[in-house]
Amino acid sequence: MHKANDSASTHHYTMKEAFMFSQRMAQLSKALWKAVEKDWQRWIKPYDLNINEHHILWIAHHLQGASISDVANFGVMHVSTAFNFSKKLEERGLLTFSKKEDDKRNTYIEITPAGQELIFDLMEQYEPESNLVFSGTAPLRELFGKFPDMVELMAIIRNIYGDDFMNIFETSIHNIERDFDEENGELKRAKRSQASE
């Protein structure tokens, strides 16, 4: 009991506050992940991909020459998971494996033109109306005129996974902005993106 009092006095929060926050995050994250998972699976199903495979392709697209360790870190998955699913993508001609002259220990993956095409096709097939998470957020946009800010959530993720993780996240968002335009209410690959290939 004495130990808990010492802890509370040095941390500026109570044990009850800490516990309640942790429980809220756990329950809300679980519920949100279930919806995200359902949306993600529905979106990629026509392409015969699972979530790990799509995530690996996505990372390979944005990192352009990522090591399996990078894929595991940024994909929040075990190294063996990243390697095994990358191998399946290689068998489908969507990724290639390589070693670097100056780094023989690590295995690197690179997205193939077929993999790039699949990523772009998927983006163009995105339908907000069939997305549970988007639909759950849309009323907030109607009310406040914008989607919810994720500043606090991003700060939490940064504190857990570090700056490198968030830099990759920001790069992927920037790349989407650069690579796609909207035409008649649909995402279309930007002409400048097609020209750079």
Side-chain angles (χ1 to χ4, degrees):
M1 188 70 156
H2 179 64
K3 204 172 189 180
N5 288 338
D6 286 348
S7 175
S9 64
T10 59
H11 289 306
H12 307 295
Y13 58 78
T14 67
M15 186 61 75
K16 189 173 181 180
E17 285 175 315
F19 181 74
M20 288 176 65
F21 174 79
S22 295
Q23 288 302 300
R24 280 190 182 113
M25 282 297 285
Q27 295 298 318
L28 293 172
S29 296
K30 174 90 164 105
L32 182 58
W33 170 245
K34 196 67 183 163
V36 167
E37 184 179 40
K38 195 173 193 175
D39 287 339
W40 202 342
Q41 287 172 336
R42 186 182 316 112
W43 180 38
I44 63 178
K45 185 179 181 185
Y47 294 83
D48 195 27
L49 292 171
N50 65 39
I51 289 174
N52 285 325
E53 290 167 339
H54 180 248
H55 206 180
I56 290 166
L57 281 175
W58 184 254
I59 293 165
H61 168 72
H62 291 292
L63 291 186
Q64 298 179 357
S67 70
I68 291 293
S69 298
D70 290 339
V71 171
N73 288 336
F74 300 125
V76 194
M77 61 184 78
H78 193 274
V79 173
S80 64
T81 302
F83 182 83
N84 292 335
F85 283 111
S86 293
K87 270 299 198 195
K88 290 182 179 184
L89 292 166
E90 181 192 41
E91 290 167 10
R92 289 180 59 183
L94 302 173
L95 287 180
T96 59
F97 277 73
S98 65
K99 296 275 188 188
K100 291 189 176 176
E101 279 299 315
D102 59 344
D103 183 9
K104 296 287 187 191
R105 294 180 314 140
N106 288 311
T107 301
Y108 291 83
I109 61 167
E110 197 136 350
I111 194 165
T112 64
Q116 289 280 24
E117 199 58 40
L118 190 145
I119 286 289
F120 283 118
D121 285 352
L122 264 164
M123 293 292 292
E124 290 175 346
Q125 296 307 314
Y126 172 74
E127 295 176 354
E129 295 77 21
S130 66
N131 187 288
L132 294 171
V133 175
F134 176 83
S135 298
T137 309
L140 295 173
R141 189 179 189 291
E142 297 266 328
L143 187 61
F144 298 112
K146 64 183 184 100
F147 288 107
D149 290 326
M150 296 192 200
V151 176
E152 290 174 328
L153 179 58
M154 289 168 63
I156 292 169
I157 299 298
R158 182 181 301 277
N159 288 334
I160 294 170
Y161 292 104
D163 288 339
D164 285 347
F165 183 92
M166 290 309 295
N167 290 340
I168 296 301
F169 170 78
E170 292 297 341
T171 297
S172 69
I173 299 302
H174 170 75
N175 289 349
I176 294 168
E177 182 71 34
R178 179 198 66 205
D179 292 342
F180 288 91
D181 290 327
E182 185 172 333
E183 294 176 19
N184 302 320
E186 294 181 355
L187 283 179
K188 295 291 180 193
R189 192 176 338 179
K191 294 187 179 19
R192 61 192 170 278
S193 175
Q194 291 175 355
S196 68
E197 288 179 3

